[in-house]
Amino acid sequence: MLTYTIRRLFTAIPTLIFISLIIFLLLDMAPGDPTASLPLTIPPEVREQIRQSLGMGEPVHIRYLLWLKQMVWSEPMFYLSQSVSWIDTPDAARLISWQTRAPVLDTVFERIPQTLMVVGLAYVVGVLIALPIGVISAYRQYSVFDQAGTFVSMIGFSIPPFFSGVLMIILFTVMMPNDSFWWFPSIYDTTLVVDSWENFGKQVRQMVLPVMVLALQTTAQISRFMRASMLDNLNQDYVRTARAKGMTESVVVLKHVLRNSMIPVITVIALGIPAIFGGAIITEQIFKVNGIGQLLIVSIQGSDVPMVQTLTFIFAVLIVFFNLIADILYGILDPRIRYD
Amino acid sequence: MTEAATTPSLDTRTEAPARNQWWDVWDQFKTHKGAVMGACFFIFIVLAVYVGPWIWSIDPTYIDIRARNQGSSFAHPFGTDQLGRDMLARMMAGGQTSISVGLTAMGLALFLGTLVGVLAGYFKRIDGLLMRTTDLFLALPLLPLLLVMVMLFRQPLSASFGPETGIFILIVIAIGITSWMPTARIVRGDVLALKEREFVLAARSIGTRPGRMILRHVLPNVMSPIMVSATLGIATAIITESALSFLGLGFPPDFPTWGRLLFDATDFMQQHPQRVMWPGLAISLTVLAVNYMGDGLRDALDPRIRGL
């Protein structure tokens, strides 16, 4: 298992390097000029110096290697030196955003908690709803519950988040009377500090709508998968054996079948985490959550190349990382699948 | 040559008309109510957006500022927008773009996916390379990259092909090259299994060349997974295009698509919520119909289910 893990880790690194190269080269073609947003009164030679100072004068491969060194060495070392006293602060310059002139990663780290709070919670809620639905629809296949579950998940697949989100806003913000319990704010207030029960209530209320929108999609996918996986296992011989031995139905379903059906489902859950971050770009835009998805949109509109580069790279790292996790989990959970 | 069936009068089965596989598929498809309804609805939508403008001949860009922000009426069944443009006409024009983008992008993704899948499955030498490439593409953060691509190539393509055609080409290509991977994987798996079958061995033993072999023997036999991917591909392409338009990175503002109409209507959500509903419903129902169609098609094309 350990050698398998290490081997997978070593294939993940070239993948990441290659992806970062693709992202870098794609963005290198960007028409945006970092000095475009500066005042027009700056003389051209000074403008050229500013461009030089931002590292625009070097050839592509040098810039790529510098950027890579910055991403994997300088920046992590900077954060390490801040948290641990015995590492000196590296003297390399930080990766600076063209728009805000602030270090890119500081801005990203400011935004991540909002994204994690909304997206992470939505994913947990979605999975927790999806699993029982999947189990029951498989156990009572073709029942009314199963048909309803199929229909709801079809809807979850088909309604894109930019419509379900807007629909929720119309239902719960526009149409609902303001003093009703069922009225929810459509704009996420990041400045809210949770220091009392009242503010905690406010925080919960403003998270309801985005979490519902994201959870609907997760539920649709995971519950279908859970159902299929349960159905595969329910007809196996070992289930008949367990029943023949006189085990109660709940033990058969919840212990024997569920545990075996969870193996592929868990890997799907792991694989879905990065996709959720991507999908959250739209949801964050609708509900004005200022997470990393919204940051990406703003930076793309402002041609902020270092920021877009870093964010896309972070998304890529998430995908590769969770693929790795899914593969390793599969090996741990299912002893038949160990590749060594 | 042997003379087959010399006494047809004795064979009772000759009464039934000649059937091929596709009739069986059609019979099975008909039993899936959701799929039939989905197919009917999809055909209805396609007819509505392509034939509809001939009947409902109001120009979608005609501005009648005195009739702005109207609700449903006989003159404007879907109401009008903030500039008094007829929403029904705009929905039809938007649907044309959305569905054309969906179909074309699906076609491109299918072509790429089938090409990579068949080549990887058939030629062992390039299998590893092609599948690593597929894995690499699957690990790319697709939505961010789509946004970046649209941002980067919008100007040059608009300049060379005109704003509408340029963006159309850009979006179709962007969606196409970011969504071929699932098809490639499925097709490769099927081709690998087909290669072990006797008829392929027989064909090879009489000296069939690889190109001929793929076109004559392999491709017709992997049609079913390709068709299922096609329906799902339309759905994803329509959703992706609408998402790009919704984020303001799709077609130019005066050129309606369903996603763009939805995006524009969200500014007036408070006052005119019904204007959000039409494009949203159109996108969702079309995608739902296509998904049901794909579901029925998958059942119909699966020989294990079809026999029952």
Side-chain angles (χ1 to χ4, degrees), chain B residues 110 113-114 116-118 120-121 131 134 138 179-194 218 221-230 232-233 298:
Chain B
L110 224 54
T114 312
V116 172
V118 168
M131 280 300 112
T134 312
L138 279 170
S179 56
W180 54 270
M181 295 81 76
T183 317
R185 281 193 153 181
I186 298 169
V187 168
R188 171 183 172 264
D190 276 28
V191 171
L192 280 180
L194 272 178
V218 175
N221 282 299
V222 291
M223 272 318 279
S224 13
I226 293 178
M227 282 173 69
V228 175
S229 316
L232 299 180
R298 184 178 6 227

Side-chain angles (χ1 to χ4, degrees), chain A residues 18 26 30 158 162-163 166 300, chain B residues 136 151-152 242 276 284 288 291:
Chain A
F18 205 81
L26 197 62
S158 307
F162 46 84
F163 184 47
V166 168
I300 283 180
Chain B
L136 197 77
M151 169 188 87
L152 293 184
S242 311
V276 177
S284 307
L288 189 69
N291 276 341

Side-chain angles (χ1 to χ4, degrees), chain A residues 14-15 18-19 22-23 26-27 29-31 150-151 154-155 157-163 166-167 169-170 173-175 278-279 281-282 285-286 296-297 299-301 303 308 312-313 315-316 319-320 323, chain B residues 135-145 147-149 151-153 155 238-239 242-244 246-249 259 262 266 269-271 273-274 276-277 279-281 283-285 287-289 291-292 295:
Chain A
T15 313
F18 205 81
I19 289 175
I22 291 180
I23 296 171
L26 197 62
L27 277 162
M29 293 185 268
T150 309
F151 185 68
M154 245 340 182
I155 288 182
F157 271 125
S158 307
I159 300 192
F162 46 84
F163 184 47
V166 168
L167 209 58
I169 293 182
I170 288 184
T173 311
V174 178
M175 311 265 258
I281 293 174
I282 293 162
Q285 195 71 9
I286 298 170
L296 179 74
I297 299 287
S299 336
I300 283 180
Q301 281 163 351
S303 312
V308 176
T312 328
F313 186 63
F315 283 124
I319 294 177
V320 172
N323 277 354
Chain B
D135 287 346
L136 197 77
F137 265 82
L138 279 170
L140 287 174
L142 293 182
L143 190 59
L145 275 188
L147 296 173
V148 169
M149 272 155 74
M151 169 188 87
L152 293 184
F153 301 112
Q155 291 297 339
I238 290 179
I239 288 193
S242 311
L244 287 178
F246 186 82
L247 292 172
L249 287 160
L262 182 61
T266 47
M269 201 157 50
Q270 200 104 30
Q271 299 87 22
Q274 82 279 0
V276 177
M277 301 300 288
L281 276 179
I283 297 170
S284 307
L285 287 178
V287 170
L288 189 69
N291 276 341
Y292 263 112
D295 226 31

Side-chain angles (χ1 to χ4, degrees), chain B residues 252-271:
Chain B
D254 52 346
F255 192 67
T257 73
W258 285 341
R260 185 80 216 186
L261 289 175
L262 182 61
F263 176 57
D264 291 342
T266 47
D267 294 341
F268 302 91
M269 201 157 50
Q270 200 104 30
Q271 299 87 22

